Amino acid sequence: MVLCAVRQHLLRGSRGAWARFLQRQSRGCVYSSVHGFQLEEIREKLQAFPGGSIELLKQESGLAVLTINYPSRMNAFSGSMMVDLEERVSQLEGWTDGKGLIVQGASGTFCSGSDLNAVRALSDPQDGMKMCMFMQNTLTRLLRLPMISVALVEGRALGGGAELTTACDFRLMAPGSVIQFVHKHMGLVPGWGGAARLVRIVGSQNALKLLGGAVKVDPEVALQIGLAEEVLQGEGTGTPLQRAENWLSVYTKGPAPVIQAVKKVVLSGRELPLSEALRTEKDVFGTVWGGPANMQALASKSKHR
Ligand SMILES: CCCC(=O)SCCNC(=O)CCNC(=O)[C@H](O)C(C)(C)COP(=O)(O)OP(=O)(O)OC[C@H]1O[C@@H](n2cnc3c(N)ncnc32)[C@H](O)[C@@H]1OP(=O)(O)O
């Protein structure tokens, strides 16, 4: 089992509840050496397909912006960007002040999936499986970050790009944007965990329609089926990113330990059997009970009218 320094840190001290949750969930990853997954080997293979980057901007407010940046290929994922993403997720795992995350694409479009040049070169099934395991691990860790995450979809989210949106807690769509699981047209199914997550977000009937028909999902349909939370209307009220930040700020207002605890209890409820989820909730509760925010609220005799 490869365990990065950040997650080793999480396994210690005051973050015991979260550490136990991650332990139960294979330390946040799905695959390890037990499954034939060799992190360094696949990293090296992916690095052979360079281009683009994944930018991370952490703000003092506790909000971070992750940008998929390869505009000349409509922000397709090169191999080196897959490695970049894994590194950025590690940085976010170690961010004690983090409360919220927005994932966006550069230059007004989200992401057109994996870079078809890399896909062609990695068309051997064994390589495909390795890439798939690598991205499943990374996107699972992204979804399990102890902060509230939003995919800001402008332009197109295609293939792996559509899968990436499902690794966030919420999806906000700009007018005219599209989420499309184009895999069927490529003779594929999702491999980055997008199908499993999509079923949990929109239900199996809707997921079957979206994957089976490679349907172009516009914001209105996305709202109807619960894929998107909101369409970011409002010309003249700032950029889509500013509007997404405003939307997210409602949920990230307050001290980081409390926001992180909220995400942790929801995540354990979503992922664990009830008895285990209840035990995790108790553990997380113990980290905020009698904590600074709790004591301050009690001292100010707050009323919730
Ligand atoms: C498990 C993962 C599964 C996957 O993700 S498989 C990949 C699924 N994605 C795709 O098949 C997207 C293919 N691309 C397209 O359909 C179109 O390029 C797209 C995104 C609708 C944009 O169309 P247009 O606006 O007409 O622009 P365009 O086609 O001229 O594209 C601009 C430049 O971007 C490139 N591009 C777009 N998507 C790419 C991709 N995924 N991999 C590699 N290159 C890609 C495209 O080749 C073009 O480059 P160039 O200007 O011809 O050098």
Side-chain angles (χ1 to χ4, degrees):
M1 171 65 64
V2 177
L3 184 60
C4 72
V6 168
R7 275 168 290 147
Q8 275 174 335
H9 168 74
L10 283 178
L11 290 172
R12 284 186 230 122
S14 64
R15 295 180 154 209
W18 193 238
R20 277 191 294 281
F21 171 81
L22 290 180
Q23 262 172 337
R24 281 182 206 125
Q25 303 302 91
S26 305
R27 296 183 171 92
C29 296
V30 182
Y31 303 104
S32 66
S33 53
V34 175
H35 309 97
F37 180 74
Q38 304 298 340
L39 183 63
E40 286 315 319
E41 181 202 338
I42 178 68
R43 262 200 195 131
E44 203 174 305
K45 216 170 244 289
L46 291 170
Q47 290 286 19
F49 303 97
S53 61
I54 307 290
E55 314 289 341
L56 177 63
L57 180 69
K58 289 195 264 179
Q59 300 170 2
E60 262 182 37
S61 61
L63 209 145
V65 180
L66 191 72
T67 305
I68 320 299
N69 183 25
Y70 201 178
S72 63
R73 297 207 175 153
M74 307 293 281
N75 303 326
F77 262 89
S78 68
S80 63
M81 285 166 72
M82 294 179 194
V83 176
D84 263 13
L85 180 66
E86 197 247 348
E87 283 166 9
R88 301 291 166 264
V89 169
S90 292
Q91 286 166 10
L92 287 165
E93 284 170 336
W95 191 28
T96 46
D97 297 330
K99 299 194 283 183
L101 173 69
I102 294 176
V103 180
Q104 65 166 6
S107 304
T109 194
F110 190 75
C111 169
S112 66
S114 50
D115 183 335
L116 292 172
N117 304 297
V119 167
R120 278 180 206 108
L122 290 168
S123 62
D124 165 62
Q126 292 239 316
D127 285 343
M129 297 274 277
K130 284 176 189 161
M131 185 267 286
C132 159
M133 288 195 276
F134 184 86
M135 286 303 283
Q136 280 196 12
N137 270 358
T138 302
L139 295 186
T140 302
R141 287 168 54 201
L142 176 65
L143 187 59
R144 287 178 181 165
L145 285 172
M147 58 192 71
I148 300 174
S149 59
V150 162
L152 165 56
V153 183
E154 297 179 86
R156 292 185 178 95
L158 302 184
E163 296 193 60
L164 173 59
T165 72
T166 65
C168 294
D169 297 311
F170 300 106
R171 283 142 295 282
L172 303 177
M173 293 179 75
S177 62
V178 168
I179 298 177
Q180 187 180 11
F181 293 82
V182 296
H183 305 74
K184 190 183 105 173
H185 291 329
M186 305 294 297
L188 291 173
V189 292
W192 296 358
R197 291 187 297 267
L198 186 66
V199 168
R200 282 159 176 76
I201 295 166
V202 300
S204 61
Q205 301 294 101
N206 283 321
L208 199 52
K209 287 183 196 165
L210 299 197
L211 298 184
V215 177
K216 279 187 186 167
V217 185
D218 64 26
E220 288 67 36
V221 172
L223 277 182
Q224 272 168 26
I225 63 175
L227 183 58
E229 215 57 35
E230 195 151 305
V231 185
L232 290 172
Q233 306 285 2
E235 289 287 304
T237 53
T239 62
L241 178 59
Q242 285 164 341
R243 278 179 261 154
E245 286 180 350
N246 278 344
W247 186 91
L248 186 54
S249 66
V250 173
Y251 307 102
T252 54
K253 193 173 166 203
V258 179
I259 309 301
Q260 291 177 6
V262 168
K263 171 72 185 271
K264 289 170 186 177
V265 293
V266 171
L267 188 64
S268 65
R270 190 160 69 196
E271 294 205 4
L272 296 174
L274 183 60
S275 302
E276 275 188 66
L278 290 172
R279 282 195 290 272
T280 302
E281 184 173 313
K282 181 260 297 167
D283 290 346
V284 175
F285 177 77
T287 68
V288 286
W289 176 263
N294 180 223
M295 297 311 281
Q296 202 180 342
L298 292 173
S300 68
K301 296 185 185 147
S302 53
K303 293 191 179 184
H304 309 288
R305 286 199 284 248

